[in-house]
Amino acid sequence: MTTRARIRDGDQQAFGDLFDEFAKAVYNHAYRLTGDWSAAEDVVSLTFLEAWRLRGRIEPEGGSLRPWLLGVATNVARNLRRSARRHRDALARMPRPEAVPDFADELIDRVADAQHLVDVREAFVRLREHEQDVLALCVGADLDYAEAAEALGVPVGTVRSRLSRARKKLELAATRRQVRGDRGTAVRSVKESTP
């Protein structure tokens, strides 16, 4: 019996092996999508809970389950972003407390690597959500077009066009930074910063 079939049938050992094999890839992908280690850990937990719940949809025959898991992780991260956005909107409607100085910002400004990550994150979040997903899967998780298309449930051509648009936007952002005299480029930063 294949691993896929065993997982589909609820074999806990096979599912544990799946977790052992792909938890790090899911975590790295989740971090690229969220930019937050803690949120990425939440995405990993929820991804494998959701994968267990959806195990009956796995085809008994086929290749690696990595693209499927990354697709589940992408959806989980998207849902968490929506929840966080709703929470922020609710907080924005509440009266604002008196501002307290945040000394963490001053410390972050002193650490060059932290600023580099901020620049990369800023360029990344300016992309449309679908472009972020494709960039994280193709560049960050190193999926090919077909695997990314499978993970997102879209045609391969859609993956290609979204990735092309994302790269053009990052190149434009890098050009703007160079004109302002900033260090490096957003495109190089994205490639260097993805695990």
Side-chain angles (χ1 to χ4, degrees):
M1 184 181 294
T2 67
T3 301
R4 282 172 161 259
R6 288 174 53 212
I7 291 171
R8 182 182 169 106
D9 291 343
D11 184 325
Q12 293 178 6
Q13 179 61 44
F15 195 78
D17 293 342
L18 180 75
F19 178 86
D20 291 342
E21 184 176 357
F22 295 117
K24 183 176 180 181
V26 171
Y27 175 82
N28 289 339
H29 178 63
Y31 178 74
R32 283 186 291 275
L33 291 174
T34 64
D36 180 277
W37 289 282
S38 178
E41 290 172 356
D42 292 343
V43 170
V44 171
S45 299
L46 292 171
T47 295
F48 281 94
L49 283 172
E50 188 69 1
W52 178 256
R53 189 180 72 78
L54 298 174
R55 71 187 182 279
R57 296 183 186 176
I58 296 172
E59 294 296 325
E61 299 297 326
S64 171
L65 286 171
R66 182 173 174 248
W68 177 71
L69 282 171
L70 294 179
V72 172
T74 299
N75 290 332
V76 166
R78 185 178 298 138
N79 290 339
L80 287 178
R81 284 192 302 257
R82 286 184 191 132
S83 295
R85 190 177 324 121
R86 283 190 216 109
H87 181 72
R88 281 191 309 270
D89 291 346
L91 289 178
R93 291 189 296 270
M94 297 178 69
R96 298 206 180 253
E98 188 175 320
V100 177
D102 185 0
F103 298 104
D105 290 339
E106 181 180 328
L107 294 174
I108 290 172
D109 289 340
R110 295 181 186 185
V111 180
D113 287 343
Q115 185 59 47
H116 178 74
L117 288 174
V118 168
D119 291 342
V120 170
R121 189 74 191 146
E122 285 176 5
F124 185 77
V125 297
R126 285 189 186 114
L127 298 173
R128 291 185 173 174
E129 188 172 278
H130 296 298
E131 293 167 345
Q132 290 176 7
D133 296 343
V134 168
L135 189 67
L137 287 169
C138 291
V139 175
D142 203 27
L143 293 185
D144 63 28
Y145 294 128
E147 291 171 326
E150 179 185 343
L152 296 172
V154 297
V156 173
T158 302
V159 170
R160 289 178 189 270
S161 62
R162 288 178 183 171
L163 186 58
S164 175
R165 280 194 300 272
R167 285 180 172 155
K168 286 179 184 172
K169 288 179 181 179
L170 291 176
E171 288 171 2
L172 180 59
T175 302
R176 288 181 182 151
R177 279 191 180 83
Q178 286 176 339
V179 168
R180 289 191 316 241
D182 290 347
R183 296 173 275 120
T185 66
V187 174
R188 184 177 62 219
S189 299
V190 168
K191 290 181 180 175
E192 291 172 355
S193 298
T194 53

